[in-house]
Amino acid sequence: MITKQQVEAFGSIETPFYFYDMDLLRQTLDSYKAQIDKYGYNAHYALKANANDRILDTIRSYGLGADCVSGNEVKLAVRSGFDPQKIVYAGVGKSDKEIRAALRAGIFSFNCESVPEIQIINDLAAGMGKKARISIRVNPDIDAHTHKYISTGLKENKFGISPWAFQDVAGLLARCTHIEFLGLHFHVGSQITELPVFALLCRRVEELQQWFIEHRIPVRNLNLGGGLGINYQDPNGDPVAHFADYFDTIHRNLVVRPGQNVHFEPGRALVGQCGHLISRVLYVKVGKEKKFAILDAGMNDLIRPALYQAHHAIENLSSTGRKLRYDVVGPVCESSDCWGQKRLVSRCERGDLFAIHSAGAYGQVMAMKYNQRDLAKAVYSDDLK
Ligand SMILES: *Cc1c(COP(=O)(O)O)cnc(C)c1O
């Protein structure tokens, strides 16, 4: 919830900007940390959700590791002080340069997404006189019941290694002398709000690890990835993701063998709600059939609605007056640059401040300069006090 004092302070700041509520971030991390400590689980924050220095500092201070999907993310994680021993690195297209850099950094695990990648990592590690720790990202063929662009665990998705290739994996593991096998990795999608999806994942993990046990390949680690969703409909009423329910579901459904470690890779659920995109109304355009509220923030600042048809709650921070229906749109020359159609928002006029909520994850980090627009800056609640 954005406070009155904060809205007052916004008055002198150039819009649009991202506003980060650091108290909410800490509250979210307190809740998350309590849960993983309760079960003795390990967590690696998915940097791609939001890679701002201040956010990374705060998350690192809670003892979390980092989940990276590119060589530059690995570099950033190391530079931000994350323990290399807690860095995991996934991605279907790791380049030789990226693999070498990660080997030099001494990361905890490469999460391998294809059979040829295992061979390449082995060969590159051999060339450097190192041993690479790897896990196999398995494609468990699970429907995450989320938008198709953020589903990753179906067999038609490009991610992970399918079970029919396990025999090839086993052959490679036996031959590759510069590889140390740690275990299995899964990540089936993002913005998953139906907990039964995670229960199903746990059962698939058990089925799939049976294959390795039968082939006498020890599975020391189980990494269940991220994907827990947040409440985009009611961010003010429900600001912290439901970690207790999520981990209770995992705990009740996942078979953990003695000595096995369980890992997670939360992204959105940690940072989604602490970020808001703050914008001003430039024009109210009254048509015959509808009214448009035209904001100075556009799809280049937050691409989720245009890219994933995502819903973001919109609030007029300058007025609590009667609510009217507006098509709330951005200034970019694309019809998909639309924040929402027929949204109920307090009657607005030029200069009113709007908040587009739940913009902390996959917001600023995906910003671009399309239409030669400036990149919006970040403002942190700690600096307004
Ligand atoms: C993006 C990603 C995550 C984080 O996903 P969220 O839905 O933001 O929790 C975790 N693991 C991998 C491998 C990812 O690519």
Side-chain angles (χ1 to χ4, degrees), residues 112-116 118 136-139 160-173 175 208 211-212 215 217:
C112 296
E113 307 225 15
S114 66
V115 174
I118 302 171
I136 302 301
R137 177 170 181 174
V138 178
N139 185 321
I161 297 176
S162 292
W164 53 259
F166 283 176
Q167 197 63 57
D168 293 347
V169 170
L172 264 182
L173 293 180
R175 280 198 309 279
L208 292 162
W211 191 95
F212 289 83
H215 290 76
I217 302 172

Side-chain angles (χ1 to χ4, degrees), residues 46 48 67 69 90 137 185 187 189-191 226-227 265-268 362:
K48 78 173 188 288
D67 167 39
V69 291
R137 177 170 181 174
H185 170 240
H187 174 67
S190 199
Q191 185 52 20
E265 300 168 339
R268 184 193 313 272
Y362 308 106

Side-chain angles (χ1 to χ4, degrees), residues 44-49 67-69 88-91 111 113 137 150 152 159 185-187 189-192 223-229 264-271 361-362:
H44 311 264
Y45 167 62
L47 253 73
K48 78 173 188 288
D67 167 39
C68 303
V69 291
V88 295
Y89 175 18
N111 292 338
E113 307 225 15
R137 177 170 181 174
I150 50 177
T152 56
F159 298 99
H185 170 240
F186 304 82
H187 174 67
S190 199
Q191 185 52 20
I192 299 168
N223 182 336
L224 271 63
L228 178 62
F264 294 90
E265 300 168 339
R268 184 193 313 272
L270 295 184
V271 296
Y362 308 106

Side-chain angles (χ1 to χ4, degrees), residues 144 192-203 228-229 242-250 252-253:
I192 299 168
T193 52
E194 296 171 24
L195 290 179
V197 169
F198 293 108
L200 177 64
L201 172 62
C202 290
R203 291 194 292 277
L228 178 62
H242 301 183
F243 299 125
D245 296 340
Y246 170 73
F247 284 113
D248 179 60
T249 300
I250 301 283
R252 281 187 294 106
N253 290 281

Side-chain angles (χ1 to χ4, degrees), residues 262-325:
V262 182
H263 296 247
F264 294 90
E265 300 168 339
R268 184 193 313 272
L270 295 184
V271 296
Q273 301 290 30
C274 75
H276 311 266
L277 178 59
I278 309 297
S279 178
R280 271 196 181 81
V281 176
L282 289 172
Y283 303 101
V284 178
K285 182 155 88 173
V286 182
K288 282 235 161 60
E289 247 108 78
K290 46 169 78 174
K291 285 186 284 298
F292 292 96
I294 303 170
L295 306 187
D296 63 5
M299 62 187 277
N300 68 300
D301 302 304
L302 174 64
I303 204 173
R304 298 190 67 259
L307 187 61
Y308 312 123
Q309 296 146 347
H311 176 95
H312 284 261
I314 301 170
E315 185 182 358
N316 183 350
L317 299 172
S318 303
S319 163
T320 51
R322 192 160 73 86
K323 295 206 165 167
L324 301 175
R325 293 216 180 257

